[in-house]
Amino acid sequence: MADNRSSGTKVPTTVDVYLYIPNIIGYIRILMNCVAFAICFQNKILFSFLYLISFVCDALDGHFARKFNQVSTFGAVLDMVTDRVSTACLLLILSQVYRPGLIFLFLLALDIGSHWFQMYSTFLLGKTSHKDVKDSTSWLFRAYYGNKMFMGFCCVSCEVLYIMLFLLAETQIESLRLVLANAVRRSWITAGLLGLLGFGWGTKQLVNLIQMKTAADVCVLHDINNKKKQ
């Protein structure tokens, strides 16, 4: 590391940042997901295990980043890209397993689109985090990003629901409506779990819609303000 004599602190090199503990966890997540998706149709149980472990590690990298003072922009981007790509791949698989598959492709587009708009609007506003929504007029939007437990519940609900749908499919082409109906009739526990997960999933999709609209407004207002200055 190079010495910063003016502050007496050590400035990390590029290699140091790449080898931060949370970033290494990010690389491990990517590797687990690659293996998981490679075997998803051959071994559903192992796929689900690897995918969910990778998802759990998403919380660990943030913990270690704060604990060892290894917060980095690269790590934040790596974390978000890994999350979005992992979910996108799972939704793409579900679109091939279930009919109508267009539902899952729409969810994929909404997930990526809303987060991309939110990230870009964050830069336009000069904020340091896309989770800084204290000035939002939507109480649900503020509650989602302002309460880690609530946000965690919604995120976990989505991922677990998608994994459950994958495990419930007995053939490669299934009717989503019939699979859900059979699962609900089969057991009240399964019905209750699907209902709970569905609530968290639905909340997150609503937040994604609010997020996209709010971020789009920021982009439009940015252009309008620039026109006024000319």
Side-chain angles (χ1 to χ4, degrees):
M1 291 187 179
D3 288 328
N4 186 332
R5 295 182 181 179
S6 61
S7 63
T9 59
K10 293 182 177 179
V11 178
T13 65
T14 303
V15 175
D16 291 330
V17 175
Y18 282 138
L19 295 179
Y20 276 175
I21 293 175
N23 295 341
I24 292 175
I25 293 175
Y27 308 145
I28 294 173
R29 289 184 64 201
I30 294 173
L31 180 60
M32 282 195 292
N33 280 324
C34 287
V35 174
F37 285 110
I39 63 169
C40 62
F41 290 113
Q42 286 74 39
N43 193 327
K44 286 188 172 184
I45 300 299
L46 182 56
F47 161 75
S48 302
F49 175 77
L50 290 174
Y51 185 91
L52 291 176
I53 289 297
S54 172
F55 179 72
V56 170
C57 288
D58 181 31
L60 293 179
D61 57 11
H63 169 74
F64 283 114
R66 293 184 294 271
K67 181 177 181 180
F68 295 104
N69 192 27
Q70 293 183 341
V71 177
S72 65
T73 302
F74 169 75
V77 174
L78 177 67
D79 181 56
M80 175 171 280
V81 170
T82 302
D83 289 342
R84 302 281 68 77
V85 171
S86 299
T87 303
C89 289
L90 181 53
L91 287 170
L92 187 60
I93 287 175
L94 290 174
S95 74
Q96 300 303 305
V97 172
Y98 285 102
R99 294 294 179 268
L102 190 61
I103 293 175
F104 299 101
L105 295 180
F106 170 77
L107 292 172
L108 189 161
L110 176 61
D111 185 58
I112 294 179
S114 66
H115 282 83
W116 173 255
F117 265 102
Q118 181 66 8
M119 286 296 294
Y120 198 82
S121 67
T122 297
F123 290 126
L124 290 178
L125 293 174
K127 296 180 179 180
T128 58
S129 172
H130 70 283
K131 297 178 182 179
D132 182 3
V133 297
K134 295 186 292 293
D135 55 350
S136 174
T137 57
S138 170
W139 67 268
L140 180 59
F141 199 30
R142 295 195 306 272
Y144 179 80
Y145 278 119
N147 189 312
K148 291 183 178 180
M149 292 290 290
F150 180 51
M151 182 173 68
F153 165 72
C154 293
C155 291
V156 169
S157 295
C158 279
E159 301 300 328
V160 174
L161 179 61
Y162 293 150
I163 288 295
M164 278 191 66
L165 288 177
F166 184 68
L167 292 174
L168 286 171
E170 297 179 357
T171 62
Q172 192 152 344
I173 300 179
E174 293 271 14
S175 166
L176 179 60
R177 182 181 61 82
L178 289 178
V179 168
L180 288 175
N182 290 334
V184 169
R185 286 196 296 266
R186 191 178 305 152
S187 167
W188 66 268
I189 297 178
T190 302
L193 181 58
L194 285 173
L196 181 64
L197 296 176
F199 172 76
W201 170 85
T203 301
K204 190 174 189 308
Q205 306 317 309
L206 182 57
V207 168
N208 280 342
L209 287 170
I210 296 172
Q211 179 170 258
M212 179 176 283
K213 176 60 169 61
T214 302
D217 287 344
V218 170
C219 295
V220 172
L221 289 174
H222 176 76
D223 286 338
I224 292 174
N225 290 332
N226 283 341
K227 290 290 184 180
K228 289 179 179 179
K229 294 176 182 178
Q230 293 178 358

